[in-house]
Each structure stands twice: as C-alpha cells, then as structure tokens.
Amino acid sequence: MPLIFDIAITHIAGRGRQTLVAVIGVAVGVGFSIAMAALMQGGQDDFVRQLVDTMPHVDITDEQRTARRQPAEDAFATVAISGLRPRDDRRGIINPTAATSWLESWIPGRFAASLKTQGVIRYSSREVGAAIIGIEPERESGVSPIVGDFVEGSFSALAAGGNNVLIGDTMASRLGAGFGDTITAVSSEGLTRNFKIAGLFHTGTTARDEGEAYVLLKNAQILSARPNAINEIRIKLDDPNRAPAVAHRAEAELGYKAVAWQEANESILEALVVRNVIMYTVVGAIMLVAGFGIYNIISTITHEKARDIAIMKSLGFPESDMRRLFLLEGVAIGAAGSVLGALLGFSMTYALSLVRFEIAATGQEMTRLPIAWSLMHYVIASAFALGSAAVAGYLPARRAARLNPVEIIRGAS
Amino acid sequence: MSALIETEKLTRVLPETVPVTLVKDITLAIDEREFVAVTGPSGSGKSSLLYLLGLLDRPTAGTLRIGGRDTEPMNERERARTRLSMLGFVFQFHFLLPEFTARENVEIPMRKLGQLARPQMRERAGELLSSLGLSEHLDKRPDQLSGGQRQRVAVARSLANDPPLILADEPTGSLDSKSSEQVFAILENLVRERGKTVVAVTHDLDMAARMDRRIHIVDGKIG
C-alpha cells in the first residue's frame, strides 16, 4: 500500500534525530553481536586448529586393538591354554610399500611413513631420552608439525642427506648442545651413530620440543637394525572432519590400529562441547540484550505516535492499516540499523583482528586475536535485529490501534 | 426522504466497577443542511454523543443510522470506511499530522479513499485550502502555522472526501475571538453554500444561538 509506505517514510524522515538514535541503537546491538560472535567463534576455531594441526588427523601404528591370537590357540581351539609364551612377531608394518601405494590411491590428503624408535641422545656427558623418528623429508613436509617452527636451521637441511638431525630447542639446551654440534644417538638395540644438529625447532608443545629427534628414515632403520621397516603412517586430510571414516577404512584394510584425531582427543572434544554451549549462550545473551534495546527504542517511538494513530483512525483508517504502518516503520529502522550494524561489526571485527600480543612465558610468540569471518554471523545478527524491530513496531501499534481513539483524543484535550 | 442521522434510545455506559453512564436514551434526527449546536455543561456527555455519531465509539444500547444505514452490524473496517467517506471531524485541537504539510494533511484522506488521481487530489487540496484563505500556506507544516490557521487546515481536511456530515468538537474552544469568528463563519458557510450538515459541540451560548438548532444535553440526556 503506497499511502502507508509514504506515511511511514515521512514519519521516519520527519523525526531526524529520533530516527538516527534508533538506527544507531539497532546498529550498536547488531555490531557488537557480530564482533562478539566473530571473537568467540574465532577462539573456538583457533583452539580446534591448534589441536588438529599439532597431530596427524589419522595415525596408523603397528599395533592391534586386541592381542593377536597365538598359533597354539588356533590349533587347539577347545582347550584352555595357560602360561603360553607368545611368539615373537616381527615388529613394524608388514609390506609397507603395498600399504603406502594403497593409501596413495584413495586418501584425500597427504601422508608420510616413518619409523619411530626409542633411544637416548648423548652430548658431552649428558643424556636425554628421546623418540628418534626416521622420516622421508619430502613426504614428511606435508604432515609434519615442525616444518614452520624452526628457530635455527631449517627442515630442508634434512633432505640434503647425510647424518643430520633435527631436535627441539628445549632438548638442545638440556644437552648443552647448539646448532652445528655433533650429538650421539643410541638406540634401544644398542647401536650408536653420530649426527650433526642441522636444525632447532620450537613448536610450543613441550613433549615434542624436549623429546623428539628427527633423522632420515634410513638412518633410523639402521639405528634400530630393521632395514626397510616402518611402524607409523601419519595422515593429514584436506578435511579433518573425515578422519574417522578414513581411519575406519584404513584399519579394516590394513589390519593395524588407525586412530583418528577425534578418537585420540575424546576428552578434549567433550570439553569443547561445553565450550560451544558457553559460546552460544554468551552470543545469544548479547543478541537478546541488543534485541531488548531495539525493542525499547522502537516501541517508545510507537507509543509516542499513539495520538497520530487516533487521528488517522478518526480520518477513516482501519486498525489493520495502523498495525501495518508501524510494522513497516519498525522494519525500516531495523533494516537501516542492520546495514549500519553490519558495517560497524565488520569494522570492530577488523580492529580486533589487528590486536597483537606476546605470550609472556616464552616471549617468542606473537599472537593475534583469533577471528572467525563468517557471513552467518551477519545474517543471524541482522535477522534477530529485524525480528526485534518488527515485533517492537507491531505490538505497541496493535495495542494503540485497538484503543478507542476517543480515549486518546480526550486525553489530549 | 430519511434524515441524515437518526438515533433511537442511544446509550453509552462505561463498563467500570461502578458503571458510568455517558449518554442515555438519546433519540434524535438530523436532516441534511442543518447547522446544529450541541450544548450543555462540562461532563454532560455532549462530546460523548458526538463521538457516537461519528462512529469513533460504539453505543452500548440503542440504534444509530447514518444516511439511512444501520451502523450496528458494521465491523471495524466498514465503520472506518464510513468515517472516511461520510464524515469529517474537526476537534478542539487541530490534530493534524505534524510531519506533513497542510496540503499533505488534506490529501491523506483522499489518498486513503483513492477515488481521484494524484494530480487531482493535489489540486483539490489546494482549492480547499485556498477557499479557507490558506493559499499562501499550502506547503507549511502545522508547527509553522497559527492556531486559527491550523484549525482551518483541519476544516479543509474534514472536507477532503466531500462528506455530507461534518462533526465538530469545540472547534473554536482553543482559539481567540477573532479566529473563533473566522472558523465559525467557515462552518456556517459549509451549511449555507456547500450544503453540508454541521453538528458542533460548543459551550459558547452566543455561538449556539446563531445556529439553526440547539440540542441541550444534561447528564447524558436531552434536556
């Protein structure tokens, strides 16, 4: 109805300052909702990302979920056997070439095979227990958590070949060794080999910085006297959420234990669900408060217009016109406020994303506030504001329209 | 030919804990081209009667016919439609819409009725205002006009859809004597020249004496 539309426009335009205040009120509500949602969601995503990035999405190791049946048990099925001395199996993933080429054929992501063996790193008279991990640098770079975290040297130093080793900076300081020094690695098989430190990394994960040493795969195989063996395949997927399905398929086919990151971090993910609930509660509360503010502003305007409603009714406008008029005004203010609020929210989110601070404990890492950019925040906040504005225009108008105009006319005279 | 307004035992009671009778058993008939004064002391119910006649309020008992049509079975929408086409109001306070110019205020009832094209509405609003001596104030907003000028705009607005009946509630109540005289002359002119029926509530007995007919209300009844 163009007449109602015209009246609404004139009403809104005619009260410049009041309209401006209302629009800004809506915009502030929408803007803060958006910025808070971006911050909360960003924190959440960042937490998951840190969790997911530091570990393989699927980890296949040379273990089984249940102890392997012993040959004697197969041979004498009905007899209970006790005190059986288990057969010593050859450890490691059997037929690694077949396993990796099979994975190559279907995995949506990258993977790397490695051999992990326990050993001791020795320098001068100091010893530190370590997991000595043999890797193929080219494949490893796709899944490694350490590639980007070098303090000295770099990951590519390993690819150059030779007896190089990459260790964490914490381990280096415990050993008293530095970049370029030669350390001695002793494996659990009793074999010894010297390596030159070609890189120091700092990932922020203490267990890794203190307890892992990376060498070439063949060096690890020599150290543990297991030529051509591997005992771990780590997989990074393009979409981390597909990890359980990939793990399930790999385990069924290869027969080895394949653990998805979700399974490995079940307790953390449970805590994450709680965090999610808190996040939605906080963002919801902010929107609710904003919604009430919007309702307050617009319903006040509508109340002030009760006299106009009485006038228009006396002129011959039906109640439905009055409801429609103020609904329209509420929605118009809500829409203008939402647009302005989206801009405000975007600016505030951008400003927040520029905030940088240092983590005091190490003094090394500069961190930005984690921000999630999501169109969904804008859509939800705007829809909420528009809804509040519509209700705030409609409800008081409905009451005022129902009111007998005589009461308002009398009240004014 | 039937009268423009006919009432029979028109009664309005406010449903309070102690019911208040505003208007009681009013039976009257007003013909076309009549210039009627409704007089009475404050609180006698004269304004209440006017609101009932103007379909702004519903009677609790009795019947009201406007233009020969019973108003009792009308729903809210039909009553609004009747107000729009049959009735014009002038209140003690001008009750113009403050954000609109004089001309726009007069155009609004026409646009709601929608029987003329927009340029014709504009022209008619201009003519109505000019005929009331407001040709220089067409595009002013109410707060830029004097009390008497506003009241004349309100009269022009009541004439917008050319209704046969104009209801006025103390139309000169808040005006000085000069402006009062002007507005009264305009109302009289509506009856004499334009053939309207004007029913005006007033407590000004001199003014009432100059009208065709006086209905005196005391305690909600014709006295």
Side-chain angles (χ1 to χ4, degrees):
Chain A
M1 167 152 288
L3 174 56
I4 294 298
F5 196 76
D6 269 9
I7 295 177
I9 296 289
T10 311
H11 263 173
I12 290 168
R15 296 167 310 203
R17 226 192 55 159
Q18 201 181 19
T19 301
L20 198 67
V21 169
V23 169
I24 289 173
V26 175
V28 167
V30 171
F32 273 89
S33 300
I34 289 170
M36 285 312 294
L39 197 57
M40 294 294 291
Q41 177 92 51
Q44 190 85 306
D45 291 353
D46 186 58
F47 187 71
V48 174
R49 201 180 313 116
Q50 300 245 354
L51 186 72
V52 170
D53 278 358
T54 54
M55 58 179 51
H57 299 155
V58 178
D59 194 9
I60 303 171
T61 54
D62 64 340
E63 294 166 30
Q64 260 94 25
R65 285 193 189 258
T66 49
R68 180 173 294 179
R69 283 172 71 81
Q70 293 297 319
E73 288 177 291
D74 286 337
F76 309 103
T78 55
V79 182
I81 300 164
S82 62
L84 192 68
R85 184 162 177 271
R87 203 186 73 168
D88 237 359
D89 284 324
R90 200 170 83 94
R91 287 168 56 216
I93 292 171
I94 295 167
N95 200 355
T97 326
T100 51
S101 60
W102 177 72
L103 287 171
E104 184 100 68
S105 68
W106 66 276
I107 290 264
R110 308 165 301 283
F111 67 93
S114 58
L115 177 66
K116 189 189 227 172
T117 179
Q118 293 302 317
V120 172
I121 306 288
R122 191 182 289 159
Y123 181 71
S124 62
S125 61
R126 288 180 237 206
E127 288 183 347
V128 173
I132 300 166
I133 302 166
I135 55 171
E136 302 164 300
E138 259 170 56
R139 283 200 166 279
E140 182 73 11
S141 62
V143 302
S144 170
I146 62 165
V147 172
D149 291 323
F150 276 81
V151 182
E152 248 181 303
S154 75
F155 187 78
S156 55
L158 212 57
N163 290 333
N164 288 331
V165 65
L166 308 173
I167 62 173
D169 59 346
T170 320
M171 185 192 284
S173 63
R174 278 186 64 185
L175 287 168
F179 181 70
D181 289 341
T182 301
I183 49 117
T184 306
V186 185
S187 75
S188 55
E189 300 291 318
L191 296 172
T192 306
R193 205 173 171 88
N194 287 338
F195 292 98
K196 186 169 157 234
I197 298 174
L200 294 174
F201 56 83
H202 178 88
T203 62
T205 310
T206 312
R208 183 161 283 144
D209 294 342
E210 195 174 295
E212 287 185 356
Y214 290 84
V215 298
L216 284 178
L217 180 58
K218 65 173 169 34
N219 284 332
Q221 286 165 344
I222 293 166
L223 259 180
S224 55
R226 289 150 72 189
N228 297 324
I230 59 162
N231 61 6
E232 190 175 18
I233 299 173
R234 283 164 295 146
I235 302 171
K236 281 269 191 203
L237 298 172
D238 299 331
D239 175 11
N241 293 323
R242 292 182 59 190
V246 170
H248 188 79
R249 184 165 169 195
E251 183 162 334
E253 174 70 23
L254 299 175
Y256 292 106
K257 185 174 169 185
V259 178
W261 66 271
Q262 287 97 332
E263 187 188 345
N265 297 284
E266 225 174 323
S267 61
I268 297 176
L269 286 175
E270 267 168 34
L272 216 57
V273 170
V274 176
R275 266 182 64 114
N276 256 326
V277 171
I278 294 172
M279 177 183 87
Y280 288 126
T281 310
V282 170
V283 172
I286 291 169
M287 288 200 177
L288 204 65
V289 170
F292 266 112
I294 293 164
Y295 182 91
N296 196 18
I297 292 169
I298 293 179
S299 66
T300 305
I301 291 178
T302 309
H303 275 299
E304 282 176 7
K305 282 287 162 196
R307 204 188 65 145
D308 284 25
I309 292 177
I311 295 170
M312 283 188 264
K313 270 186 87 173
S314 78
L315 291 179
F317 283 83
E319 287 173 19
S320 56
D321 276 0
M322 296 299 98
R323 291 196 297 266
R324 212 175 300 147
L325 171 62
F326 285 91
L327 180 68
L328 204 62
E329 290 187 27
V331 169
I333 291 173
S338 292
V339 171
L340 200 66
L343 288 174
L344 184 70
F346 183 85
S347 320
M348 282 200 291
T349 312
Y350 183 70
L352 284 173
S353 76
L354 294 180
V355 174
R356 306 186 62 166
F357 51 87
E358 263 175 50
I359 291 178
T362 60
Q364 285 178 345
E365 292 172 44
M366 288 289 273
T367 309
R368 286 171 190 273
L369 276 179
I371 298 290
W373 296 98
S374 165
L375 191 65
M376 215 47 210
H377 298 155
Y378 294 79
V379 172
I380 292 175
S382 300
F384 203 81
L386 221 54
S388 312
V391 171
Y394 185 80
L395 284 187
R398 193 179 64 162
R399 227 180 47 190
R402 270 206 207 128
L403 211 64
N404 195 329
V406 170
E407 288 171 41
I408 297 165
I409 291 165
R410 275 240 175 83
S413 48
Chain B
M1 150 167 193
S2 67
L4 185 58
I5 299 177
E6 274 180 298
T7 70
E8 199 172 322
K9 294 192 175 254
L10 202 62
T11 302
R12 173 72 166 111
V13 180
L14 282 184
E16 311 276 321
T17 31
V18 180
V20 181
T21 304
L22 298 173
V23 171
K24 185 146 179 68
D25 291 339
I26 294 214
T27 302
L28 56 77
I30 295 170
D31 286 324
E32 284 187 21
R33 293 167 173 267
E34 272 202 280
F35 193 20
V36 182
V38 179
T39 58
S42 312
S44 60
K46 53 189 192 303
S47 290
S48 301
L49 173 64
L50 195 78
Y51 298 143
L52 286 173
L53 298 182
L55 302 182
L56 288 180
D57 201 2
R58 277 179 183 272
T60 40
T63 58
L64 166 64
R65 259 191 283 278
I66 293 180
R69 196 166 160 220
D70 190 5
T71 57
E72 173 60 32
M74 289 183 180
N75 63 22
E76 192 266 332
R77 190 163 273 277
E78 288 169 323
R79 289 164 69 88
R81 197 74 192 170
T82 307
R83 281 200 295 274
L84 186 65
S85 59
M86 299 279 292
L87 301 170
F89 283 97
V90 181
F91 297 102
Q92 177 176 4
F93 296 97
H94 57 88
F95 281 149
L96 298 174
L97 296 176
E99 292 89 356
F100 294 84
T101 65
R103 198 209 303 258
E104 285 167 343
N105 263 287
V106 178
E107 277 183 77
I108 283 172
M110 297 188 223
R111 294 186 61 186
K112 178 59 196 166
L113 191 67
Q115 280 181 350
L116 297 175
R118 283 302 297 279
Q120 285 173 287
M121 292 180 188
R122 196 176 155 77
E123 197 180 322
R124 177 170 166 75
E127 280 169 12
L128 280 170
L129 287 164
S130 299
S131 73
L132 300 181
L134 292 165
S135 51
E136 282 162 31
H137 308 290
L138 298 184
D139 295 316
K140 289 188 180 169
R141 288 210 312 270
D143 56 9
Q144 296 167 311
L145 297 171
S146 73
Q149 287 167 339
R150 284 180 213 165
Q151 201 61 309
R152 279 183 278 155
V153 175
V155 173
R157 183 179 63 182
S158 74
L159 294 169
N161 289 327
D162 201 20
L165 178 61
I166 306 293
L167 298 171
D169 186 13
E170 305 270 13
T172 61
S174 58
L175 300 179
D176 59 44
S177 57
K178 185 164 167 272
S179 298
S180 292
E181 198 50 52
Q182 232 174 0
V183 170
F184 181 82
I186 287 167
L187 293 177
E188 187 170 31
N189 181 263
L190 293 183
V191 180
R192 309 284 178 245
E193 305 295 324
R194 301 200 197 212
K196 305 289 179 201
T197 301
V198 173
V199 178
V201 165
T202 181
H203 60 262
D204 184 338
L205 294 178
D206 289 342
M207 202 168 276
R210 290 157 62 193
M211 290 156 84
D212 295 349
R213 181 178 158 193
R214 282 150 296 282
I215 297 171
H216 193 64
I217 306 286
V218 179
D219 292 337
K221 286 179 271 195
I222 294 179

